[in-house]
Amino acid sequence: MLYAIISEDVKNSLERRLAARPDHLARLEKLRDEGRLVLAGPHPAVDADNPGDAGFSGSLVVAEFDSLEHAQAWADADPYVIAGVYANVAVKPFRKVLP
């Protein structure tokens, strides 16, 4: 089943994000390589593709997991969680309708 992992950053998270980004991306690339990743990306803190020093306000990952518990465990082990980038993370079942 698909799950949405919706994360919100702490204030001024950019430096922490940049430090943890390689490990964060490696986990996402593993999901992609396994054919389980639907989409992933950050929410810019301002209305721009490249927010510069404004950074990001959170992230969204939609991926396939065996259960809600597995999705939650994967989210809890995210390098951004460990680095203190996220203030909170919600994991919810997701049903893709379109496209």
Side-chain angles (χ1 to χ4, degrees):
M1 179 164 184
L2 294 178
Y3 295 89
I5 302 170
I6 307 154
S7 308
E8 294 182 29
D9 282 24
V10 299
K11 285 189 166 208
N12 302 312
S13 63
L14 186 58
E15 187 174 314
R16 292 179 191 181
R17 267 184 172 269
L18 294 175
R21 189 169 190 264
D23 292 336
H24 173 78
L25 288 179
R27 294 179 82 233
L28 291 170
E29 289 166 351
K30 184 175 187 294
L31 283 179
R32 180 201 60 207
D33 294 348
E34 294 170 351
R36 297 170 44 207
L37 183 64
V38 174
L39 64 88
H43 302 286
V46 295
D47 189 13
D49 281 340
N50 183 355
D53 291 339
F56 300 91
S57 63
S59 300
L60 172 64
V61 174
V62 178
E64 183 179 344
F65 293 92
D66 292 333
S67 66
L68 179 59
E69 292 77 19
H70 284 126
Q72 185 68 60
W74 188 91
D76 290 344
D78 192 301
Y80 281 176
V81 170
I82 295 163
V85 171
Y86 294 147
N88 59 57
V89 177
V91 180
K92 301 179 179 188
F94 180 80
R95 194 181 101 196
K96 184 179 175 185
V97 175
L98 294 171

